Amino acid sequence: MSYMGIDTSDIDRMPRGGFRASCLDRLLETDRQEYLDRDDVDESTKNQVIGALDWTGRFFRNHQRFAAIALDLVADVADPRILELGAGHGGVSRQLLADHPSAQVTVTDLDPDSVARIAASDLGSHPRAEVRQMDATEIDAADDSYDLVLFALSFHHLRPSQAARVFAEGTRVAETLLIIDLPRPPAPLHLLRLATMLPMAAVLPFVHDGVISSLRSYSPSALRSLASHADPSIELTLRGGLNLPQIVIARNGR
C-alpha cells in the first residue's frame, strides 16, 4: 500500500517537499543543475566545489560523523562489506577504513573524473578498498553483496524516479541502505536559509551548488513516498533536525 494512502505511481511529478507540500514549499525547488552535474562547466570550477566539500567535511568533522553512523549500523558484523555511492572526494570512505580495522569498502562515483581522482589517491592502493565507477540507480552487484550501502550528500542530485531506484537497488544489494543528505526545513525557515546564501552564490561555486542542493533536497514525507514507490516492503527510519543532516535508514522487509 502506498505511503499514507498517496498514489506514488507518477513519482516524477512529486514536489521535493512531498505530494502534500504547501504552495510556498513547491516554489522552493528548481530543475537547475549544480555545477557538478553540468557538462558545460570547466573542470576547475567542479574541482573547487569538490575541494570545498572535502574541506568542510574535515573541518566540521562530517566525515567522522558520517562514518560513525555507518559503522554503528554494522557494529555486529566482524568484517563489514560497505559500498559507498557518489563518493565524490572519497573522504567518508577514507574515514571508514581508518575507523574500522577490517572493513572492506567499495568506493564508487558516477563521474569518471571523480573515480580517476579517487583511484590516484591513497584509496586506490589501499588493501581494503576497491575503486569503481558505478551508477547508484543501477548498482553492478549481486543481491546481498554488501552489509551496508552508504549514499552521503548526493541523494538530492537525483530526480524522484532515480531516487526511488536508489532505494530499490540499495536494499537489494545490502541488508541496510544509509542515506545522509541535506535536511529540507519548513518553507519559512527554508526561505531564511536561502536568503543568507544567495548573496555569495554568484561568486562562490560551492555556495552556488549549496543553494541548488537546498532547493532540491527531499522532505521526510517525500522520502517515505520514494521508498514506498520503490518497494512497499521497505522499512524506513528517519532521523535529523533543522540544523542536522537528514538520516535515512532503509531496510527491505524480505
Side-chain angles (χ1 to χ4, degrees), residues 34-48:
E34 299 175 34
Y35 287 142
L36 289 179
D37 296 325
R38 289 166 53 180
D39 296 328
D40 61 339
V41 173
D42 190 83
E43 283 302 313
S44 63
T45 300
K46 293 185 178 184
N47 290 338
Q48 286 183 52

Side-chain angles (χ1 to χ4, degrees), residues 142-211:
D143 295 0
D144 302 315
S145 294
Y146 299 94
D147 300 295
L148 177 72
V149 173
L150 168 64
F151 200 13
L153 300 183
S154 295
F155 191 73
H156 60 271
H157 288 264
L158 305 175
R159 67 178 185 271
S161 59
Q162 293 174 315
R165 285 293 302 162
V166 171
F167 276 109
E169 284 289 276
T171 56
R172 176 184 67 80
V173 302
E175 179 179 343
T176 304
L177 166 66
L178 170 62
I179 297 170
I180 304 175
D181 211 353
L182 300 177
R184 186 176 187 87
L189 294 178
H190 200 175
L191 273 174
L192 181 61
R193 182 167 79 179
L194 292 168
T196 64
M197 300 170 69
L198 282 172
M200 299 301 294
V203 293
L204 294 178
F206 174 66
V207 180
H208 170 277
D209 275 19
V211 169

Side-chain angles (χ1 to χ4, degrees), residues 39-99:
D39 296 328
D40 61 339
V41 173
D42 190 83
E43 283 302 313
S44 63
T45 300
K46 293 185 178 184
N47 290 338
Q48 286 183 52
V49 176
I50 293 172
L53 287 169
D54 189 22
W55 183 86
T56 54
R58 287 182 281 109
F59 183 83
F60 293 105
R61 299 183 64 80
N62 287 333
H63 296 346
Q64 291 91 329
R65 292 190 184 95
F66 296 169
I69 293 168
L71 292 175
D72 184 60
L73 293 173
V74 291
D76 59 342
V77 180
D79 305 310
R81 301 158 300 164
I82 301 173
L83 167 65
E84 185 181 6
L85 302 169
H89 43 68
V92 179
S93 284
R94 188 173 289 107
Q95 193 67 45
L96 288 167
L97 292 163
D99 291 348

